[in-house]
Amino acid sequence: MDLKEKTIAALKKYDSGDELSQLTLPAIPKASVLIPLLVRDGQLRLLLTVRSIHLKQHAGEVCFPGGKSESGDRDEIHTALREAEEEIGLPPNKVEVICKFFPVINKTGLLITPVVAFIEESFKASPNTDEVSEVFTLPLEFFTKAADHSGYPVPSVFGPTHSFMYTDPSTGNIHQIWGLTAALAISVAVLTLGKKPEFEVGFNLENPVSGFKNIMNRKLSKL
């Protein structure tokens, strides 16, 4: 198998399928994020966006394409693909969905489903400047290295808060990747590359997705 095939095989094991539909959930707002992977020069890379500084929430932060579910969305995957097309001009028919992870509840009470997918290496983003100021990619392996990582004993969805500082060699721009975005990136890197990070993560490395379930159950018990 080539790198893409190996990655798909590794991640499909963690697809949540219809598990969520079998749960009784309170009426809480839902959202999805797309975690876009691509292969470039024999290396797995991850695509991220920088939110516009004009947005009311999380302005200027690095995140995955995504947003809240709308009434016309068929499911969590549809939400992720629609939002990615709106934000960065990514055509849904150019996205190969691999799996969706079990959702997590963020600190504001939003139920977020991560959808992992492959996009074409040749994809050129067309950011909606009302929402996105920049789009960049970086090596997935970056999220297993200690050199640009910091951990803080501040509670987050996954325990301690993780933060990375990444300098984009093509622009010289420095990006901070932290919080839920960093935790999801670490999880995808561990599951895909089979590498233990050079730092303590504070959640189950053998199966991070099982940790998603435990975290959500704890959150739901407090609602």
Side-chain angles (χ1 to χ4, degrees):
M1 293 190 292
D2 63 17
L3 180 57
K4 182 177 177 181
E5 292 171 333
K6 288 179 180 178
T7 300
I8 292 172
L11 290 172
K12 275 189 175 295
K13 300 174 187 176
Y14 304 97
D15 184 24
S16 66
D18 62 354
E19 284 188 66
L20 185 61
S21 64
Q22 298 172 12
L23 298 177
T24 301
L25 296 173
I28 56 177
K30 298 178 181 179
S32 295
V33 294
L34 186 69
I35 302 179
L37 298 171
L38 63 144
V39 178
R40 180 175 295 157
D41 298 327
Q43 181 185 57
L44 280 172
R45 298 182 71 87
L46 189 67
L47 181 143
L48 290 166
T49 71
V50 181
R51 289 172 61 85
S52 168
I53 60 172
H54 304 295
L55 293 173
K56 292 181 179 179
Q57 293 183 322
H58 310 295
E61 291 189 5
V62 173
C63 62
F64 293 109
K68 290 184 179 180
S69 173
E70 295 183 356
S71 58
D73 293 344
R74 295 187 296 274
D75 53 26
E76 298 89 354
I77 292 175
H78 186 220
T79 300
L81 296 180
R82 175 184 54 76
E83 286 285 341
E85 184 172 29
E86 292 176 3
E87 291 181 3
I88 62 173
L90 177 61
N93 64 351
K94 298 293 185 182
V95 179
E96 183 179 355
V97 174
I98 303 169
C99 65
K100 60 179 181 180
F101 287 160
F102 206 79
V104 296
I105 299 178
N106 72 0
K107 60 186 178 182
T108 65
L110 189 64
L111 185 71
I112 301 174
T113 298
V115 178
V116 189
F118 264 110
I119 62 174
E120 296 178 354
E121 185 273 336
S122 59
F123 170 66
K124 302 295 182 185
S126 300
N128 174 352
T129 54
D130 290 335
E131 298 186 56
V132 175
S133 64
E134 191 175 345
V135 179
F136 66 98
T137 70
L138 72 168
L140 185 61
E141 190 178 30
F142 176 81
F143 295 101
T144 66
K145 303 294 185 181
D148 298 291
H149 168 268
S150 298
Y152 302 96
V154 179
S156 71
V157 174
F158 290 89
T161 296
H162 294 278
S163 175
F164 297 87
M165 300 301 295
Y166 176 71
T167 302
D168 187 343
S170 65
T171 63
N173 292 343
I174 300 173
H175 302 291
Q176 183 183 24
I177 306 161
W178 71 287
L180 180 58
T181 300
L184 289 174
I186 293 168
S187 298
V188 173
V190 168
L191 297 177
T192 302
L193 303 173
K195 285 186 175 182
K196 183 178 179 180
E198 297 172 351
F199 48 84
E200 292 297 323
V201 297
F203 55 87
N204 183 0
L205 281 174
E206 295 298 322
N207 185 355
V209 180
S210 70
F212 294 6
K213 297 180 185 180
N214 294 334
I215 291 164
M216 193 179 81
N217 287 334
R218 289 199 302 270
K219 290 268 189 178
L220 290 175
S221 69
K222 297 177 182 179
L223 295 178

